Amino acid sequence: MIKTDILIIGAGPTGLFTVFEAGLLKLRCHLIDALPQPGGQCSEIYPKKPIYDIPAYPEILAGDLTDKLMEQIKQFEPGFTLGERADIIEKQEDGTFIVTTNKGTKHHAPVVAIAGGLGSFEPRKPPISNIADYEGKGVEYMIKEPEIYRDKDVVIAGGGDSALDWSIFLADVASSVTLIHRRNEFRGHLDSVDQVQKLKNEGKINLITPAEVKEITGDGKVEGVVVHKKDEDPFTIYTDHFIPLFGLSPKLGPIADWGLEIEKNAIKVNNALDYQTNIPGIYAIGDVNTYPGKLKLILCGFHEATLMCQSAFKRIFPDKKYVMKYTTVGGVQGFDGTKKEAPKAVVKKIE
């Protein structure tokens, strides 16, 4: 039985940052994740994708963000159960919880924080009859290693942030990049739309709208895609890779059977206070939760984790008063005995 103060389900950025905020309160954390390594989607789906909305980082690769978070929490010595899915949760008579994974590993904690991101997920596939024949043979639904596209011809389909961001990124990697979207309007950030337009004007991206890929051609691997554009005859674009980026279809998995209040495949929480669910002692933070005004941003997950840890401290130590100290004043005391603190001002006596 693994015992800890806060059991975190999900080792993505929000789950990892929770370890830091809990550590400042001298609370120990253990994380469960079905993936074989920490980082969530940042490590598994798009480790080389740049992220632009992390404070103090004008740009940081998703994989590098995971590395920085792991470095930040190292001194708080979190435990990890990786490659296992949290399956069953049982509330004990004393109000604590036992969470058992699909491999039988049991965890015991007074507080459970669900930071499962989108949960388990599958890519949304376009309705192309023969697309399954080319999966792994030039059809990819997510980009993990951009270097495989170096000096290759690439066709990307989609109109959201992923399609826009990867089109921009691969414009300097691939031999050619074609972005196809079924509408003239895009759903992504305006800056990304403007940048794609700029790259199109410079001849670095071939933009085709409104249009759809209806067929894939090739002998054993992708060699071309058949494009249907409004008021035009179908035509073929020869390419080495076809990357449909239509987002992910999220599923909560076993969490959906835990008696939590669910709304549109997300866990409802009390955002007016501490992001607690309808079950006292179970919190939901990051993309997995929902409340009025919710934004699915890593930045928001960090904020939610901070407030959740304050509430968790009060739950674990109801008779203990915690006085928050700024890290600039109190420093950061790790569980390994190390302490980081700002250098003290030099006091000089004037005679």
Side-chain angles (χ1 to χ4, degrees):
M1 181 85 72
I2 297 171
K3 295 187 177 183
T4 190
D5 295 319
I6 301 178
L7 181 63
I8 304 170
I9 298 173
T14 296
L16 294 177
F17 188 69
T18 302
V19 175
F20 177 78
E21 288 298 325
L24 295 179
L25 300 171
K26 301 299 180 185
L27 299 177
R28 291 190 176 274
C29 294
H30 191 94
L31 301 93
I32 302 174
D33 202 297
L35 297 176
Q37 73 284 318
Q41 294 181 56
C42 287
S43 295
E44 181 68 11
I45 299 178
Y46 45 80
K48 301 296 183 179
K49 182 179 179 181
I51 301 175
Y52 301 104
D53 55 1
I54 301 299
Y57 287 99
E59 176 182 336
I60 184 170
L61 297 182
D64 291 344
L65 175 62
T66 298
D67 293 340
K68 291 290 185 182
L69 288 166
M70 290 293 289
E71 180 183 348
Q72 184 181 32
I73 66 176
K74 182 179 179 180
Q75 60 198 324
F76 295 126
E77 302 176 333
F80 289 91
T81 299
L82 300 174
E84 299 185 31
R85 183 185 66 241
D87 261 12
I88 302 170
I89 188 166
E90 299 168 295
K91 192 165 187 175
Q92 308 302 295
E93 290 184 3
D94 62 357
T96 62
F97 302 90
I98 292 179
V99 175
T100 307
T101 71
N102 61 317
K103 294 186 179 179
T105 307
K106 292 185 178 295
H107 309 75
H108 186 210
V111 168
V112 174
I114 302 173
L118 294 174
S120 60
F121 44 82
E122 295 179 356
R124 294 191 178 98
K125 302 179 182 181
I128 300 173
S129 61
N130 64 341
I131 193 168
D133 298 336
Y134 295 96
E135 292 174 352
K137 302 173 184 177
V139 168
E140 293 91 30
Y141 300 108
M142 55 191 72
I143 298 175
K144 295 184 180 180
E145 181 47 69
E147 277 302 310
I148 70 172
Y149 305 104
R150 182 159 302 275
D151 301 324
K152 302 291 185 180
D153 295 315
V154 176
V155 172
I156 295 175
D161 285 317
S162 290
L164 292 167
D165 291 347
W166 279 120
S167 295
I168 294 166
F169 187 89
L170 292 179
D172 292 326
V173 175
S175 176
S176 70
V177 174
T178 300
L179 175 59
I180 299 173
H181 182 39
R182 60 178 179 167
R183 298 189 181 94
N184 289 319
E185 302 79 19
F186 288 86
R187 303 184 308 277
H189 285 99
L190 293 178
D191 286 348
S192 298
V193 176
D194 290 342
Q195 195 168 351
V196 165
Q197 182 65 52
K198 181 175 180 290
L199 290 170
K200 177 200 172 187
N201 295 340
E202 294 173 352
K204 295 182 178 180
I205 288 178
N206 180 26
L207 183 61
I208 304 176
T209 63
E212 293 183 76
V213 174
K214 293 290 189 179
E215 186 182 346
I216 302 171
T217 63
D219 184 10
K221 64 181 181 66
V222 172
E223 295 175 2
V225 293
V226 179
V227 180
H228 288 233
K229 194 173 188 297
K230 189 176 181 180
D231 300 327
E232 293 185 15
D233 292 333
F235 57 92
T236 299
I237 297 176
Y238 295 99
T239 186
D240 301 299
H241 295 273
F242 174 52
I243 311 171
L245 298 175
F246 296 135
L248 302 170
S249 178
K251 297 178 181 178
L252 286 176
I255 293 174
D257 300 322
W258 288 1
L260 301 167
E261 191 174 354
I262 307 295
E263 182 180 287
K264 295 182 179 178
N265 212 42
I267 303 170
K268 289 187 69 174
V269 295
N270 172 15
N271 68 306
L273 186 61
D274 54 11
Y275 306 98
Q276 198 158 188
T277 68
N278 59 303
I279 300 177
I282 301 180
Y283 300 78
I285 52 178
D287 287 356
V288 76
N289 75 15
T290 186
Y291 52 83
K294 169 69 179 183
L295 292 176
K296 292 183 182 294
L297 297 172
I298 294 175
L299 171 67
C300 297
F302 290 167
H303 163 76
E304 294 164 10
T306 303
L307 297 187
M308 183 278 295
C309 286
Q310 297 289 323
S311 176
F313 180 88
K314 294 174 184 175
R315 180 177 176 82
I316 297 171
F317 302 111
D319 300 323
K320 192 173 181 180
K321 186 176 181 181
Y322 171 74
V323 179
M324 190 187 82
K325 296 180 181 179
Y326 297 108
T327 55
T328 50
V329 176
V332 177
Q333 179 72 52
F335 292 164
D336 57 2
T338 61
K339 184 173 183 179
K340 296 179 181 179
E341 57 183 336
K344 299 294 187 294
V346 176
V347 179
K348 184 178 181 181
K349 184 178 180 181
I350 298 177
E351 298 179 354

